[in-house]
PDB file of all heavy atoms in Angstrom:
ATOM      1  N   LEU A 357      29.400 -18.191  -3.538  1.00 97.00           N
ATOM      2  CA  LEU A 357      29.565 -19.411  -4.327  1.00 97.00           C
ATOM      3  C   LEU A 357      29.425 -20.639  -3.423  1.00 97.00           C
ATOM      4  O   LEU A 357      30.077 -20.737  -2.387  1.00 97.00           O
ATOM      5  CB  LEU A 357      30.937 -19.410  -5.014  1.00 97.00           C
ATOM      6  CG  LEU A 357      31.207 -20.519  -6.015  1.00 97.00           C
ATOM      7  CD1 LEU A 357      30.269 -20.413  -7.209  1.00 97.00           C
ATOM      8  CD2 LEU A 357      32.674 -20.460  -6.483  1.00 97.00           C
ATOM      9  N   GLY A 358      28.545 -21.554  -3.796  1.00 97.00           N
ATOM     10  CA  GLY A 358      28.327 -22.768  -3.030  1.00 97.00           C
ATOM     11  C   GLY A 358      27.198 -22.685  -2.012  1.00 97.00           C
ATOM     12  O   GLY A 358      26.844 -23.695  -1.399  1.00 97.00           O
ATOM     13  N   GLY A 379      20.627 -19.567 -16.022  1.00 96.00           N
ATOM     14  CA  GLY A 379      21.862 -20.214 -15.589  1.00 96.00           C
ATOM     15  C   GLY A 379      21.716 -21.390 -14.647  1.00 96.00           C
ATOM     16  O   GLY A 379      22.692 -22.105 -14.402  1.00 96.00           O
ATOM     17  N   PHE A 380      20.522 -21.610 -14.089  1.00 97.00           N
ATOM     18  CA  PHE A 380      20.343 -22.648 -13.072  1.00 97.00           C
ATOM     19  C   PHE A 380      19.080 -23.455 -13.336  1.00 97.00           C
ATOM     20  O   PHE A 380      18.110 -22.959 -13.921  1.00 97.00           O
ATOM     21  CB  PHE A 380      20.210 -22.022 -11.673  1.00 97.00           C
ATOM     22  CG  PHE A 380      21.462 -21.377 -11.163  1.00 97.00           C
ATOM     23  CD1 PHE A 380      21.727 -20.044 -11.450  1.00 97.00           C
ATOM     24  CD2 PHE A 380      22.387 -22.086 -10.397  1.00 97.00           C
ATOM     25  CE1 PHE A 380      22.872 -19.427 -10.986  1.00 97.00           C
ATOM     26  CE2 PHE A 380      23.532 -21.478  -9.930  1.00 97.00           C
ATOM     27  CZ  PHE A 380      23.788 -20.142 -10.221  1.00 97.00           C
ATOM     28  N   HIS A 381      19.089 -24.681 -12.857  1.00 97.00           N
ATOM     29  CA  HIS A 381      17.881 -25.455 -12.646  1.00 97.00           C
ATOM     30  C   HIS A 381      17.640 -25.466 -11.143  1.00 97.00           C
ATOM     31  O   HIS A 381      18.514 -25.851 -10.373  1.00 97.00           O
ATOM     32  CB  HIS A 381      18.028 -26.877 -13.183  1.00 97.00           C
ATOM     33  CG  HIS A 381      18.262 -26.927 -14.659  1.00 97.00           C
ATOM     34  ND1 HIS A 381      19.521 -27.032 -15.203  1.00 97.00           N
ATOM     35  CD2 HIS A 381      17.412 -26.853 -15.702  1.00 97.00           C
ATOM     36  CE1 HIS A 381      19.439 -27.041 -16.525  1.00 97.00           C
ATOM     37  NE2 HIS A 381      18.162 -26.921 -16.856  1.00 97.00           N
ATOM     38  N   ASP A 416      21.050 -24.296  -5.753  1.00 98.00           N
ATOM     39  CA  ASP A 416      22.457 -24.513  -5.361  1.00 98.00           C
ATOM     40  C   ASP A 416      23.296 -23.514  -6.146  1.00 98.00           C
ATOM     41  O   ASP A 416      23.449 -23.622  -7.362  1.00 98.00           O
ATOM     42  CB  ASP A 416      22.863 -25.950  -5.692  1.00 98.00           C
ATOM     43  CG  ASP A 416      24.289 -26.271  -5.253  1.00 98.00           C
ATOM     44  OD1 ASP A 416      24.952 -25.378  -4.688  1.00 98.00           O
ATOM     45  OD2 ASP A 416      24.744 -27.405  -5.496  1.00 98.00           O
ATOM     46  N   ALA A 417      23.819 -22.494  -5.448  1.00 97.00           N
ATOM     47  CA  ALA A 417      24.519 -21.390  -6.113  1.00 97.00           C
ATOM     48  C   ALA A 417      25.926 -21.824  -6.521  1.00 97.00           C
ATOM     49  O   ALA A 417      26.931 -21.396  -5.947  1.00 97.00           O
ATOM     50  CB  ALA A 417      24.568 -20.178  -5.188  1.00 97.00           C
ATOM     51  N   GLU A 418      25.996 -22.639  -7.552  1.00 97.00           N
ATOM     52  CA  GLU A 418      27.271 -23.232  -7.944  1.00 97.00           C
ATOM     53  C   GLU A 418      27.946 -22.514  -9.106  1.00 97.00           C
ATOM     54  O   GLU A 418      29.066 -22.869  -9.480  1.00 97.00           O
ATOM     55  CB  GLU A 418      27.057 -24.708  -8.315  1.00 97.00           C
ATOM     56  CG  GLU A 418      26.016 -24.930  -9.398  1.00 97.00           C
ATOM     57  CD  GLU A 418      25.743 -26.415  -9.631  1.00 97.00           C
ATOM     58  OE1 GLU A 418      26.675 -27.223  -9.451  1.00 97.00           O
ATOM     59  OE2 GLU A 418      24.601 -26.746  -9.997  1.00 97.00           O
ATOM     60  N   TYR A 419      27.299 -21.511  -9.696  1.00 97.00           N
ATOM     61  CA  TYR A 419      27.884 -20.813 -10.834  1.00 97.00           C
ATOM     62  C   TYR A 419      28.010 -19.325 -10.509  1.00 97.00           C
ATOM     63  O   TYR A 419      27.004 -18.652 -10.256  1.00 97.00           O
ATOM     64  CB  TYR A 419      27.018 -20.984 -12.085  1.00 97.00           C
ATOM     65  CG  TYR A 419      26.697 -22.425 -12.411  1.00 97.00           C
ATOM     66  CD1 TYR A 419      25.378 -22.868 -12.454  1.00 97.00           C
ATOM     67  CD2 TYR A 419      27.716 -23.342 -12.660  1.00 97.00           C
ATOM     68  CE1 TYR A 419      25.076 -24.194 -12.742  1.00 97.00           C
ATOM     69  CE2 TYR A 419      27.425 -24.665 -12.960  1.00 97.00           C
ATOM     70  CZ  TYR A 419      26.099 -25.089 -12.990  1.00 97.00           C
ATOM     71  OH  TYR A 419      25.811 -26.393 -13.272  1.00 97.00           O
ATOM     72  N   PRO A 420      29.213 -18.774 -10.524  1.00 97.00           N
ATOM     73  CA  PRO A 420      29.377 -17.349 -10.211  1.00 97.00           C
ATOM     74  C   PRO A 420      28.844 -16.463 -11.327  1.00 97.00           C
ATOM     75  O   PRO A 420      28.811 -16.854 -12.498  1.00 97.00           O
ATOM     76  CB  PRO A 420      30.896 -17.205 -10.057  1.00 97.00           C
ATOM     77  CG  PRO A 420      31.468 -18.315 -10.883  1.00 97.00           C
ATOM     78  CD  PRO A 420      30.498 -19.442 -10.802  1.00 97.00           C
ATOM     79  N   GLY A 421      28.441 -15.267 -10.944  1.00 97.00           N
ATOM     80  CA  GLY A 421      27.985 -14.297 -11.936  1.00 97.00           C
ATOM     81  C   GLY A 421      26.673 -13.644 -11.525  1.00 97.00           C
ATOM     82  O   GLY A 421      26.126 -13.908 -10.459  1.00 97.00           O
ATOM     83  N   VAL A 422      26.199 -12.770 -12.396  1.00 97.00           N
ATOM     84  CA  VAL A 422      24.912 -12.105 -12.219  1.00 97.00           C
ATOM     85  C   VAL A 422      23.918 -12.766 -13.164  1.00 97.00           C
ATOM     86  O   VAL A 422      24.066 -12.698 -14.388  1.00 97.00           O
ATOM     87  CB  VAL A 422      25.014 -10.598 -12.526  1.00 97.00           C
ATOM     88  CG1 VAL A 422      23.656  -9.925 -12.365  1.00 97.00           C
ATOM     89  CG2 VAL A 422      26.047  -9.935 -11.620  1.00 97.00           C
ATOM     90  N   TRP A 423      22.910 -13.426 -12.596  1.00 98.00           N
ATOM     91  CA  TRP A 423      21.983 -14.235 -13.367  1.00 98.00           C
ATOM     92  C   TRP A 423      20.580 -13.623 -13.286  1.00 98.00           C
ATOM     93  O   TRP A 423      20.011 -13.488 -12.210  1.00 98.00           O
ATOM     94  CB  TRP A 423      21.953 -15.669 -12.835  1.00 98.00           C
ATOM     95  CG  TRP A 423      23.305 -16.322 -12.850  1.00 98.00           C
ATOM     96  CD1 TRP A 423      24.178 -16.451 -11.818  1.00 98.00           C
ATOM     97  CD2 TRP A 423      23.937 -16.934 -13.981  1.00 98.00           C
ATOM     98  NE1 TRP A 423      25.324 -17.095 -12.215  1.00 98.00           N
ATOM     99  CE2 TRP A 423      25.202 -17.410 -13.538  1.00 98.00           C
ATOM    100  CE3 TRP A 423      23.562 -17.124 -15.309  1.00 98.00           C
ATOM    101  CZ2 TRP A 423      26.081 -18.065 -14.399  1.00 98.00           C
ATOM    102  CZ3 TRP A 423      24.440 -17.780 -16.153  1.00 98.00           C
ATOM    103  CH2 TRP A 423      25.686 -18.238 -15.704  1.00 98.00           C
ATOM    104  N   LEU A 446      19.842 -13.097  -9.458  1.00 98.00           N
ATOM    105  CA  LEU A 446      20.577 -13.862  -8.454  1.00 98.00           C
ATOM    106  C   LEU A 446      22.056 -13.563  -8.690  1.00 98.00           C
ATOM    107  O   LEU A 446      22.605 -13.841  -9.764  1.00 98.00           O
ATOM    108  CB  LEU A 446      20.300 -15.358  -8.615  1.00 98.00           C
ATOM    109  CG  LEU A 446      21.172 -16.297  -7.768  1.00 98.00           C
ATOM    110  CD1 LEU A 446      20.982 -16.049  -6.274  1.00 98.00           C
ATOM    111  CD2 LEU A 446      20.892 -17.756  -8.124  1.00 98.00           C
ATOM    112  N   VAL A 447      22.689 -12.958  -7.708  1.00 98.00           N
ATOM    113  CA  VAL A 447      24.099 -12.593  -7.795  1.00 98.00           C
ATOM    114  C   VAL A 447      24.903 -13.586  -6.965  1.00 98.00           C
ATOM    115  O   VAL A 447      24.752 -13.661  -5.750  1.00 98.00           O
ATOM    116  CB  VAL A 447      24.334 -11.150  -7.292  1.00 98.00           C
ATOM    117  CG1 VAL A 447      25.815 -10.796  -7.405  1.00 98.00           C
ATOM    118  CG2 VAL A 447      23.472 -10.158  -8.060  1.00 98.00           C
ATOM    119  N   VAL A 448      25.744 -14.360  -7.633  1.00 98.00           N
ATOM    120  CA  VAL A 448      26.582 -15.355  -6.964  1.00 98.00           C
ATOM    121  C   VAL A 448      28.008 -14.822  -6.965  1.00 98.00           C
ATOM    122  O   VAL A 448      28.634 -14.689  -8.022  1.00 98.00           O
ATOM    123  CB  VAL A 448      26.492 -16.724  -7.648  1.00 98.00           C
ATOM    124  CG1 VAL A 448      27.376 -17.733  -6.923  1.00 98.00           C
ATOM    125  CG2 VAL A 448      25.048 -17.210  -7.717  1.00 98.00           C
ATOM    126  N   GLN A 449      28.545 -14.522  -5.773  1.00 97.00           N
ATOM    127  CA  GLN A 449      29.861 -13.887  -5.647  1.00 97.00           C
ATOM    128  C   GLN A 449      30.955 -14.921  -5.420  1.00 97.00           C
ATOM    129  O   GLN A 449      30.736 -15.948  -4.780  1.00 97.00           O
ATOM    130  CB  GLN A 449      29.838 -12.890  -4.482  1.00 97.00           C
ATOM    131  CG  GLN A 449      28.810 -11.781  -4.692  1.00 97.00           C
ATOM    132  CD  GLN A 449      28.674 -10.866  -3.507  1.00 97.00           C
ATOM    133  OE1 GLN A 449      28.934 -11.275  -2.356  1.00 97.00           O
ATOM    134  NE2 GLN A 449      28.266  -9.630  -3.726  1.00 97.00           N
TER     135      GLN A 449
END
Side-chain angles (χ1 to χ4, degrees):
L357 188 64
F380 292 88
H381 298 97
D416 183 0
E418 56 186 329
Y419 307 120
V422 179
W423 302 98
L446 171 61
V447 180
V448 180
Q449 299 174 333

